[in-house]
Amino acid sequence: MPTSIITTDDLREFKMELLDDIKKLLAQQASGTIKKYLKSSEVMDMLQVSPGTLQNLRINGTLPYTKVGGIIYYDTQEIQNVMEANRVQHVQNP
């Protein structure tokens, strides 16, 4: 199995993409165009994660959800709260 090395530049790029996605979500939420509840496929698209990653977020309790009739729903505000709670800020050394 081939391995790949993740560099700090890769992580920095991922962080910037994630922040851009969060900004888009906030803009959508402010304009009222975002739905209150999202299905799993919508959350995977929004966060750009795989089904397995989304399942892990559910299992470990990171992302709250509601299951109704076999369909899993996520509250957009709770997703936003998780994103804000896990925000990482790097302090530049003077």
Side-chain angles (χ1 to χ4, degrees), residues 40-41 43-44 47 49-65 67 72 74:
S40 293
S41 60
V43 175
M44 286 185 293
L47 299 178
V49 296
S50 68
T53 298
L54 186 58
Q55 182 179 7
N56 285 334
L57 292 172
R58 285 194 310 267
I59 289 170
N60 67 23
T62 300
L63 194 57
Y65 65 95
K67 189 171 183 178
I72 298 175
Y74 302 85

Side-chain angles (χ1 to χ4, degrees), residues 23-83:
K23 288 176 186 177
K24 288 176 188 174
L25 285 174
L26 288 173
Q28 287 177 341
Q29 188 176 26
S31 68
T33 60
I34 196 163
K35 298 189 304 188
K36 171 85 172 139
Y37 294 101
L38 302 173
K39 292 182 180 180
S40 293
S41 60
E42 295 169 311
V43 175
M44 286 185 293
D45 288 341
M46 179 174 49
L47 299 178
Q48 297 182 346
V49 296
S50 68
T53 298
L54 186 58
Q55 182 179 7
N56 285 334
L57 292 172
R58 285 194 310 267
I59 289 170
N60 67 23
T62 300
L63 194 57
Y65 65 95
T66 302
K67 189 171 183 178
V68 178
I71 299 173
I72 298 175
Y73 295 95
Y74 302 85
D75 186 321
T76 54
Q77 184 58 49
E78 289 178 341
I79 294 170
Q80 185 63 40
N81 293 344
V82 168
M83 296 299 286

